[in-house]
């Protein structure tokens, strides 16, 4: 338990969240001492366990049920003071132990808007290669915010890509940026085991609860993406990834693109294997008039959350795997190979 908490603390420190890095380091000591952290996490062995705990506590703060901790969370109007926050954080775990334990069963739903930067760049590579409109399918889509990635504005040295938008991703691309070819998304469809309605206040709070509270730029991006979602329709159905892709087939006159970002680690091995089988079966039936692509922004296999995600593309006919670039788990900036 201690090692998992400290590993996530190092990740948070490296990704610019001193608040969560400090809280998790203190939590590791509390777990060793048999405090509320040990009581909440005892017997649990889920992926991203520390993030599940942090997200559940954050949600309690956002609902106005932990005013002492809210005073230290910028998302609730507080000031980011990691050391001062710890006693209040520990008290929330003690007072809401059963609720936090129940929250550990829910995988994080960050729907991280920054990941639009690698995904959209990969989509431009597909458009450049095929010249066709895109039939976009996303697994693990949460509220479907990145299904609207083409409606975001991306900035890079010497230029930008995308329309005027409430969502602006600064320093999105480094290196030689993707070719700014015409891009038309003909349809947008995603799946999630627990899809969220971006128009529902409760769903908005849940999305915000998984954003690290001292990372104000991410918070602003999320809120801006919710504005875009209110104007651009995209459907997310309740389904597992394997069932969603069952029967996947090419569609003449469109490039069928299956994409996902930093979610494959949450799938059981057999479910992940089904995803790959379905995509490869569709790829085997692809033609130049009906191509199929698999676009993934995921940590290299075996590295879990601590690996630097790679943007990979397989495009059929052919299906050769290409590594297009890499970026941090929250997506910004992408360095193109």
């Amino acid at each position: 338990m201690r090692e998992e908490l400290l590993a996530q603390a190092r990740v948070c420190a490296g990704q610019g969240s001193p608040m969560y890095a400090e809280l998790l380091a203190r939590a590791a000591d509390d777990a060793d001492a048999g405090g509320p952290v040990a009581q909440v996490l005892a017997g649990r062995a889920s992926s991203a366990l520390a993030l599940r705990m942090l997200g559940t506590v954050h949600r309690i703060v956002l609902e106005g049920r932990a005013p002492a901790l809210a005073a230290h969370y910028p998302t609730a109007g507080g000031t980011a003071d990691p050391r001062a926050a710890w006693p209040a954080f520990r008290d929330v775990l003690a007072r809401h132990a059963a609720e936090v334990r129940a929250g550990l069963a829910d995988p994080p739903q960050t729907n991280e808007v920054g990941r639009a930067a690698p995904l959209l760049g990969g989509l431009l590579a597909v458009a450049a290669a095929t010249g066709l409109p895109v039939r976009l399918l996303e697994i693990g889509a949460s509220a479907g915010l990145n299904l609207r990635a083409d409606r975001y504005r991306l900035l890079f040295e010497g230029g930008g890509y995308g329309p005027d938008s409430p969502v602006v991703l600064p320093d999105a691309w480094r290196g030689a940026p993707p070719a700014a070819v015409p891009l038309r998304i003909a349809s947008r469809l995603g799946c999630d085991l627990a899809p969220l309605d971006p128009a529902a206040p409760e769903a908005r709070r849940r999305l915000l609860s998984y954003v690290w509270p001292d990372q104000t730029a991410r918070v602003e991006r999320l809120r801006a993406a919710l504005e875009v979602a209110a104007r651009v329709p995209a459907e997310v159905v309740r389904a597992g990834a394997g069932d969603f892709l069952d029967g996947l087939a090419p569609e003449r006159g469109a490039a069928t693109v299956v994409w996902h970002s930093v979610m494959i680690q949450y799938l059981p091995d057999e479910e992940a294997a089904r995803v790959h089988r379905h995509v490869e079966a569709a790829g085997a039936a692809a033609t130049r008039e009906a191509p199929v692509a698999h676009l993934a922004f995921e940590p290299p296999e075996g590295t879990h959350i601590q690996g630097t995600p790679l943007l990979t593309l397989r495009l059929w006919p052919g299906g050769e795997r290409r590594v297009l670039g890499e970026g941090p788990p929250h997506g910004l900036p992408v360095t193109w190979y």
Side-chain angles (χ1 to χ4, degrees):
M1 189 185 300
R2 176 182 178 82
E3 287 309 311
E4 180 165 353
L5 292 167
L6 289 177
Q8 185 62 57
R10 290 189 291 271
V11 170
C12 290
Q15 295 180 24
S17 179
M19 168 168 276
Y20 271 3
E22 176 70 17
L23 289 178
L24 288 172
R26 298 287 192 97
D29 292 339
D30 189 75
D32 270 357
V37 174
Q39 296 168 29
V40 165
L41 299 184
R44 298 302 176 99
S46 304
S47 61
L49 192 64
L51 294 180
R52 295 170 190 241
M53 176 181 71
L54 292 169
T56 305
V57 170
H58 195 182
R59 192 155 55 253
I60 292 170
V61 170
L62 293 171
E63 291 172 353
R65 296 188 285 129
L69 185 54
H72 305 290
Y73 273 40
T75 45
T79 57
D81 187 342
R83 292 181 181 274
W86 167 249
F89 183 91
R90 187 178 187 274
D91 184 63
V92 171
L93 291 180
R95 289 175 179 270
H96 301 273
E99 182 176 351
V100 178
R101 277 185 65 83
L104 299 179
D106 298 330
Q109 290 213 34
T110 54
N111 213 171
E112 178 54 53
V113 179
R115 293 174 191 152
L119 292 172
L120 185 59
L123 207 59
L124 288 172
V126 173
T130 66
L132 294 171
V134 170
R135 173 193 177 205
L136 184 57
L137 304 169
E138 181 175 20
I139 58 173
S142 187
L145 299 184
N146 282 331
L147 285 169
R148 287 97 164 173
D150 60 313
R151 303 301 179 92
Y152 302 161
R153 179 71 177 166
L154 282 66
L155 304 180
F156 49 90
E157 185 176 359
Y161 180 84
D164 289 338
S165 173
V167 178
V168 178
L169 304 181
D171 193 23
W173 294 339
R174 294 180 180 177
V181 298
L183 175 62
R184 184 168 72 87
I185 298 184
S187 62
R188 312 165 195 266
L189 180 63
C191 77
D192 199 275
L193 287 174
L196 298 177
D197 177 1
E202 182 179 346
R204 289 174 173 235
R205 278 196 302 273
R206 182 173 181 81
L207 288 170
L208 183 57
S209 73
Y210 286 111
V211 178
W212 302 348
D214 54 342
Q215 296 196 325
T216 54
R218 290 179 63 206
V219 172
E220 291 170 2
R221 287 198 295 268
L222 173 60
R223 288 175 170 154
L226 291 169
E227 289 183 41
V228 174
R231 301 198 300 259
V232 180
E235 183 182 7
V236 180
V237 299
R238 186 180 301 275
D243 290 341
F244 177 69
L245 296 176
D246 190 16
L248 178 69
E251 186 173 286
R252 186 176 179 84
T256 297
V257 178
V258 176
W259 80 11
H260 50 87
S261 59
V262 194
M263 60 75 63
I264 209 76
Q265 67 200 22
Y266 298 115
L267 296 183
D269 290 344
E270 175 53 32
E271 183 83 355
R274 284 184 69 198
V275 167
H276 290 289
R277 287 198 299 270
H278 290 326
V279 174
E280 289 181 357
T287 66
R288 290 180 61 85
E289 295 75 27
V292 172
H294 184 193
L295 191 59
F297 181 64
E298 300 284 354
E301 189 174 352
T303 62
H304 196 45
I305 60 172
Q306 299 183 59
T308 297
L310 301 177
L311 180 67
T312 60
L313 171 64
R314 295 183 69 189
L315 178 61
W316 289 269
E320 179 184 359
R321 181 178 182 271
R322 297 169 54 200
V323 181
L324 303 182
E326 65 176 46
H330 297 147
L332 298 175
V334 183
T335 299
W336 298 103
Y337 289 170

